Amino acid sequence: MSGEEDWEELLKGHPIFSLPKSVSGPAGKGEESLNLSLSSLPDFVSLDPVDDKPTPSGRRQSIAIKDADLIVAVGSEVRITSLGDSKGARGSSQKAYKILHTPNVQFEIHQISLNPNGKLLAVAGAFQVAVIVLPRTGFNKLVTATVDCKSIQLGQYYHAADTSAPVAKVDWHPWGQGGSTLLVMTMDGKLREYDISVDADEPQQTLSFVPEKKKRSFDAEDAAEREVASFTFGKGKADWGPLTVYAVMRSGDIYAISPYMPKNASVPSTYVHSLECYVAAKQEFLSASIREDPNPSDGLTSLYDYQRKYVNALLKQLPPGTAWPATTRLVPMHPPTTVKNTPSRQGPFLLQPSPRNLAGGEGGDATDIVYLSFGDDAAEESEGETERLGLVLVSFQDGKVDLYLDVEKVEARWDTKQQTSNGLPMLATYESIDLGTVHALKNASTSQRSQSLLELVQGNHPVFLSDPIHDDTIYVYHAFGVHVLQLEPLLKGLAVALRDANDDADGGSSSLEATLEKVAQTDVQPILLTFSVEQQSSTPVVGVAVPNDVYLTYSIFILTSSMRMSVFPLNLRPESPYVPEPETPLLEASSTSPEALLSPPAEPTPSSPRKALPTPPEGPPAYVSLLEEEPFKLPQAIARSSGLPGNPRLSLPNNPSGKGEFMITPDTLRYFGTIVENFSSQIHDVQLAHRSMEARASLQEQEFKRQRERCSEMLDIAKSLGGSEQAHAERLARIQETQRALLTRLDRTLQGLMAKASPELSENETKWFDELRRMKQEVIGAGKYDDRSLLARAKLLRKEVDRLVPHLKEMREKEMARKKTLAESREALGLSQAFELGKRSTEERTRISLMEAEILRLANILDVTLGRPPALQAQNGEAKNK
């Protein structure tokens, strides 16, 4: 397979994708019940806590990839297989899977989520939630078809009762200690935190995004404004982003709660220091504004005081050795208790300007939200204005995706009696992306049924999935297929716009607006379509996974409700920051001088860009290339950086009759006409791209020939200028002889000048030489037999040392022998004898100490000076010997 595994071919016919018995069994409704059509639409919309049907309604995520293992949730079963074994077993008879035996999971599984370390799997149905401990590596070697796994059902009081609220989303917190913090969001706005390692029945913390209704009061809010569709975690480096939780309502309203930290968290130490600097800068800015404005806002002062208390409590939990700028490491932390107030709910966010509605659509409920951070670690030391920019994406049932810019970061706020009057938070609406759902349903339906097919939007639930390798790639899967959103051109354009705005500070907001109008929009590409024009139905996508394992090919796995797997290989892109490279200005002709041309070029530093070669002072340039100054870019028709196909693949529902010929209808003919038109346009674009690339290749060949000819001319000129080597050697020898003669002459001239300027020594010079002679006589001596010189005394000292060293060595050996004999004699004593000797020795030592104290007391009374006691003298002697 040419070095890359075709996973779709390998997984084709794998038994792990067999339908559950509730669908394919004798009492099942058949595969048609899993398709979204006008007849099955009520099953997709309604939720029954007593009878949880296998209909893929609401948020669905049925597959996950752990290292090289594929996990699939089918009905109430959790199946697992090794992709490595599937690679070796190409025959369907050799392919197998294991069923995780989990007695506590007796509900239809809608969502599965792996924890950060890949050891726990959270499974959620329409109302119930459980956690499964995954088996260790080697489960596939077991003979049995099932693998016993420990499973725990979470919060049965909150999620297993008949009156429980439906589960909107489950997700693991990235900073949970040990990866055991699971967050469960229900549609009533309650976000419950469960720590599996502590307590699985009661939540550690509970956040409320929907306030309680007041009794005996009229509320004019729509029901969609009080039902949560999804939530996500904020991101950031030196702000409150990582401690923020965003939630989107079905109506599209966005709320946030900050700060939120898991009860048992592992926080990077550098983030705490960065947050401290951020809060300190805020307080410093506020104090500067107070000096200018004598009537400041007391609300901001108290708010920043609360933030300072919160950050100080985090700093106290840092262990020693994590002071800035130490290497970052995860530090176990707990939410500070110094601030007793609960974090306040902030929102709804003001969306400026208001997002537009899709043409021909009546709108729909919001389904999912995701937060993306701007840039990456490579751009960490780049311009600070672009680092703090974030993106918020919200999906809707009608296929609309709103993209917002988080220009005003959310700050930590608490419910206090003195509320600040800063207004509602704001998100800047950048664009509204159309996935083409409404347009496809309109084109696929007749005039009599156009309104009916648009009702299928009610069963649509788009879900975001972030690419684990490329942060600027987002996958959106829904009931009608899968789309990929490429944000790279958008982010690069924003980086350029913000950089230009920072450089041109005098231009005001008009220059920024003009630059933003030129920024490219998000690149939207469909990769899989599941809607059948003939059958007027669709097989919803129930799971998408992208492996992040070095032993697996970088691909995207897509699973539909009919258990049909589609795999697309992806291409890895080089990581590059979104900060544009500085331009390389050319030197002006008027500024070039002969000195500048002759001087060696300076080495470029990381902070200064490398400059181009200077142009000649006058006349045309020495060489003009046939190619353009900018590098050649591949035409858009064949440039596929992601590796995805240009045309989406079809994964249509099976024919319900199982037999019968293809029926030609006006709808199918209209669909075929559209497809043929698209193919014809793409063929024409490819032909144009082929011609442009052929012209480019021909131009590069001509340029290569010209450069070879010019290089040959340069070599000939260099040879003519070089001459013979012998002549160069003789010339170099003559230059060296002349140099030596010049140095000798220079030395004589310098000595003559010194003698002429000062023929006699000065008084200071005379004293200096006299001092040198005296020091020489003191060191060497006045004569040969001068015993008072330092040299003679040093020789005498060396002789004395050499004489004493043998005697000292002999005494040391005798002392060591004596100590050895004494130790042996002590060992020869019995236990009782040694104890008696030690007892008497202690008594004698006590008596001696008392006598010494009495003698010292009498000496003090008589004012007589005595020497140190013998015990202290012995201790000092041992210390000196050491």
Side-chain angles (χ1 to χ4, degrees):
M1 280 173 283
S2 69
E4 287 191 1
E5 296 83 1
D6 187 359
W7 288 110
E8 185 168 0
E9 185 66 24
L10 293 174
L11 297 176
K12 186 177 181 180
H14 200 290
I16 196 174
F17 300 117
S18 59
L19 293 172
K21 296 180 180 179
S22 59
V23 176
S24 61
K29 294 183 178 181
E31 185 179 342
E32 302 83 29
S33 62
L34 300 177
N35 299 334
L36 175 61
S37 60
L38 293 175
S39 59
S40 63
L41 182 60
D43 296 335
F44 280 78
V45 177
S46 61
L47 287 176
D48 189 358
V50 179
D51 183 16
D52 190 8
K53 303 175 183 179
T55 306
S57 59
R59 184 185 185 91
R60 293 301 294 255
Q61 176 64 2
S62 300
I63 62 173
I65 296 179
K66 171 200 170 186
D67 297 334
D69 300 333
L70 177 64
I71 304 172
V72 182
V74 182
S76 60
E77 290 182 353
V78 179
R79 305 172 182 177
I80 185 172
T81 186
S82 176
L83 294 177
D85 296 344
S86 302
K87 188 190 306 183
R90 299 183 181 276
S92 59
S93 60
Q94 301 177 358
K95 298 176 182 178
Y97 66 91
K98 302 295 182 182
I99 300 177
L100 302 184
H101 180 61
T102 54
N104 290 337
V105 180
Q106 300 296 332
F107 52 85
E108 197 79 18
I109 300 175
H110 291 193
Q111 307 176 46
I112 62 175
S113 178
L114 271 174
N115 74 328
N117 56 25
K119 297 180 180 179
L120 303 176
L121 179 70
V123 295
F127 298 91
Q128 303 182 46
V129 184
V131 174
I132 302 174
V133 181
L134 294 177
R136 297 181 179 178
T137 306
F139 66 90
N140 52 343
K141 298 180 182 179
L142 298 177
V143 180
T144 58
T146 60
V147 180
D148 293 334
C149 296
K150 184 179 179 181
S151 59
I152 306 171
Q153 193 163 1
L154 300 183
Q156 298 187 28
Y157 177 77
Y158 304 99
H159 308 296
D162 296 338
T163 58
S164 300
V167 176
K169 181 182 178 181
V170 295
D171 198 3
W172 299 91
H173 200 286
W175 283 358
Q177 189 173 2
S180 61
T181 302
L182 179 66
L183 298 179
V184 180
M185 173 68 82
T186 52
M187 294 183 65
D188 60 352
K190 294 294 190 296
L191 181 63
R192 296 178 174 88
E193 173 198 330
Y194 293 95
D195 194 336
I196 312 303
S197 61
V198 178
D199 190 359
D201 293 328
E202 291 295 328
Q204 300 295 314
Q205 298 182 79
T206 302
L207 302 180
S208 179
F209 283 90
V210 177
E212 298 292 339
K213 285 187 176 182
K214 297 181 180 180
K215 296 181 179 181
R216 299 178 182 180
S217 62
F218 175 74
D219 193 356
E221 290 182 338
D222 186 13
E225 298 180 2
R226 299 185 59 85
E227 294 183 3
V228 175
S230 180
F231 75 96
T232 186
F233 303 111
K235 296 180 181 179
K237 296 178 181 178
D239 47 41
W240 295 96
L243 302 180
T244 305
V245 180
Y246 295 87
V248 60
M249 304 295 171
R250 285 179 49 207
S251 61
D253 294 336
I254 302 175
Y255 293 89
I257 293 181
S258 178
Y260 164 72
M261 179 186 293
K263 202 71 175 180
N264 301 308
S266 296
V267 182
S269 57
T270 53
Y271 169 74
V272 180
H273 294 293
S274 302
L275 185 61
E276 179 194 11
C277 297
Y278 175 73
V279 174
K282 286 281 187 178
Q283 286 187 325
E284 184 178 355
F285 178 77
L286 179 62
S287 60
S289 61
I290 288 176
R291 288 192 294 267
E292 298 177 0
D293 185 8
N295 299 320
S297 176
D298 296 336
L300 287 177
T301 305
S302 61
L303 174 64
Y304 291 155
D305 290 341
Y306 277 118
Q307 293 181 2
R308 170 57 63 182
K309 291 180 182 179
Y310 191 92
V311 174
N312 289 339
L314 295 180
L315 291 173
K316 291 180 181 179
Q317 300 184 46
L318 291 177
T322 56
W324 183 268
T327 306
T328 181
R329 62 173 178 172
L330 296 178
V331 178
M333 286 189 176
H334 305 283
T337 58
T338 53
V339 181
K340 303 297 182 182
N341 300 345
T342 58
S344 62
R345 185 190 68 157
Q346 305 180 39
F349 281 73
L350 294 177
L351 307 179
Q352 299 292 336
S354 179
R356 65 178 181 86
N357 294 327
L358 299 182
E362 298 180 358
D365 295 339
T367 58
D368 200 7
I369 184 174
V370 66
Y371 191 99
L372 302 178
S373 60
F374 189 98
D376 51 13
D377 295 337
E380 188 171 350
E381 298 180 358
S382 59
E383 301 181 24
E385 292 295 332
T386 59
E387 282 185 19
R388 302 187 61 246
L389 185 63
L391 303 179
V392 179
L393 281 78
V394 178
S395 61
F396 294 85
Q397 287 181 325
D398 58 351
K400 185 181 72 166
V401 177
D402 288 338
L403 190 148
Y404 309 108
L405 303 181
D406 187 12
V407 292
E408 296 181 359
K409 286 285 187 175
V410 174
E411 293 193 4
R413 295 180 183 273
W414 291 264
D415 291 330
T416 57
K417 296 180 180 180
Q418 184 181 3
Q419 295 291 344
T420 58
S421 58
N422 292 337
L424 297 175
M426 188 269 289
L427 291 175
T429 305
Y430 183 77
E431 66 173 326
S432 293
I433 303 170
D434 185 9
L435 301 181
T437 302
V438 175
H439 180 71
L441 292 177
K442 278 191 171 185
N443 293 340
S445 58
T446 60
S447 58
Q448 292 82 6
R449 303 182 59 183
S450 61
Q451 187 64 27
S452 299
L453 274 184
L454 287 179
E455 294 179 1
L456 296 179
V457 172
Q458 301 177 13
N460 188 24
H461 196 98
V463 179
F464 292 116
L465 177 70
S466 300
D467 193 288
I469 298 179
H470 302 295
D471 296 336
D472 55 7
T473 302
I474 300 294
Y475 304 99
V476 186
Y477 63 95
H478 44 87
F480 304 100
V482 181
H483 288 69
V484 58
L485 307 181
Q486 297 285 353
L487 303 175
E488 182 180 9
L490 166 66
L491 297 179
K492 287 185 177 180
L494 288 177
V496 173
L498 293 177
R499 188 202 64 177
D500 295 342
N502 292 336
D503 296 340
D504 188 14
D506 300 333
S509 60
S510 59
S511 60
L512 179 60
E513 293 177 359
T515 310
L516 289 176
E517 291 178 356
K518 303 177 183 178
V519 175
Q521 295 182 347
T522 305
D523 185 12
V524 183
Q525 180 182 359
I527 58 178
L528 185 71
L529 297 180
T530 60
F531 182 74
S532 173
V533 179
E534 178 190 6
Q535 303 178 24
Q536 303 288 306
S537 63
S538 175
T539 55
V541 177
V542 296
V544 176
V546 180
N548 189 15
D549 188 82
V550 69
Y551 298 106
L552 296 180
T553 308
Y554 179 44
S555 309
I556 177 174
F557 293 73
I558 303 173
L559 182 66
T560 61
S561 60
S562 59
M563 291 294 129
R564 188 180 304 168
M565 175 64 75
S566 300
V567 184
F568 297 88
L570 303 174
N571 292 337
L572 290 172
R573 305 194 309 268
E575 294 291 341
S576 60
Y578 296 120
V579 178
E581 296 293 335
E583 300 179 356
T584 57
L586 296 174
L587 297 179
E588 298 294 337
S590 60
S591 63
T592 55
S593 59
E595 291 79 2
L597 294 176
L598 294 176
S599 60
E603 291 294 331
T605 60
S607 59
S608 62
R610 182 185 296 270
K611 295 186 177 181
L613 293 175
T615 56
E618 55 185 11
Y623 182 80
V624 179
S625 175
L626 297 177
L627 305 179
E628 299 177 356
E629 296 181 359
E630 297 182 358
F632 178 72
K633 295 182 180 179
L634 291 176
Q636 190 66 26
I638 59 176
R640 299 175 184 173
S641 59
S642 61
L644 295 172
N647 295 304
R649 189 182 301 176
L650 299 180
S651 181
L652 305 179
N654 295 328
N655 196 339
S657 60
K659 58 182 179 179
E661 299 180 356
F662 180 75
M663 299 296 295
I664 299 296
T665 62
D667 294 336
T668 56
L669 289 177
R670 191 182 303 108
Y671 176 76
F672 284 150
T674 305
I675 296 301
V676 170
E677 183 181 356
N678 292 336
F679 273 112
S680 301
S681 177
Q682 292 179 8
I683 291 173
H684 180 67
D685 294 340
V686 170
Q687 290 176 350
L688 294 179
H690 175 67
R691 294 175 186 173
S692 64
M693 294 188 67
E694 281 187 342
R696 175 71 181 191
S698 176
L699 191 63
Q700 289 188 184
E701 290 179 358
Q702 297 178 13
E703 177 64 21
F704 180 64
K705 292 179 181 179
R706 293 180 69 241
Q707 290 183 1
R708 289 181 58 185
E709 294 174 357
R710 184 55 60 93
C711 288
S712 178
E713 295 176 3
M714 293 170 61
L715 291 176
D716 295 340
I717 295 174
K719 289 181 180 179
S720 63
L721 293 176
S724 61
E725 296 182 0
Q726 184 177 3
H728 280 292
E730 294 176 355
R731 182 180 179 185
L732 183 61
R734 289 196 302 269
I735 291 175
Q736 291 177 352
E737 290 292 337
T738 305
Q739 180 70 13
R740 283 194 290 268
L742 290 176
L743 290 176
T744 305
R745 182 180 176 185
L746 179 64
D747 191 14
R748 291 197 303 268
T749 304
L750 182 62
Q751 290 181 359
L753 291 175
M754 292 177 60
K756 186 175 181 181
S758 56
E760 297 181 357
L761 295 177
S762 62
E763 182 180 356
N764 294 331
E765 291 176 343
T766 304
K767 291 181 179 179
W768 171 253
F769 285 115
D770 292 343
E771 181 68 18
L772 289 178
R773 282 191 290 270
R774 187 191 63 78
M775 293 175 62
K776 182 178 179 181
Q777 182 178 356
E778 184 178 352
V779 174
I780 300 177
K784 183 177 182 181
Y785 302 101
D786 189 2
D787 55 352
R788 292 180 299 177
S789 64
L790 295 178
L791 183 61
R793 294 170 65 184
K795 291 181 179 179
L796 183 61
L797 181 61
R798 182 176 295 278
K799 290 181 181 179
E800 188 68 18
V801 169
D802 294 341
R803 184 182 64 82
L804 294 176
V805 165
H807 297 284
L808 293 176
K809 290 183 178 179
E810 184 179 356
M811 293 176 62
R812 182 180 180 183
E813 292 177 357
K814 290 182 180 180
E815 182 66 18
M816 292 177 64
R818 185 184 67 81
K819 289 183 178 180
K820 184 177 181 181
T821 305
L822 181 60
E824 291 177 354
S825 63
R826 288 179 179 176
E827 292 178 357
L829 295 176
L831 181 61
S832 59
Q833 295 175 348
F835 179 76
E836 188 67 27
L837 289 175
K839 183 178 179 181
R840 292 185 180 181
S841 176
T842 304
E843 293 176 355
E844 293 295 332
R845 183 179 296 277
T846 304
R847 293 177 59 189
I848 292 173
S849 299
L850 293 175
M851 293 176 64
E852 289 178 355
E854 184 66 22
I855 291 172
L856 292 175
R857 188 181 64 82
L858 293 175
N860 291 334
I861 294 173
L862 299 175
D863 196 10
V864 176
T865 302
L866 297 179
R868 306 184 70 181
L872 295 178
Q873 293 180 3
Q875 291 179 2
N876 293 337
E878 292 178 358
K880 291 181 179 180
N881 292 333
K882 291 181 181 179

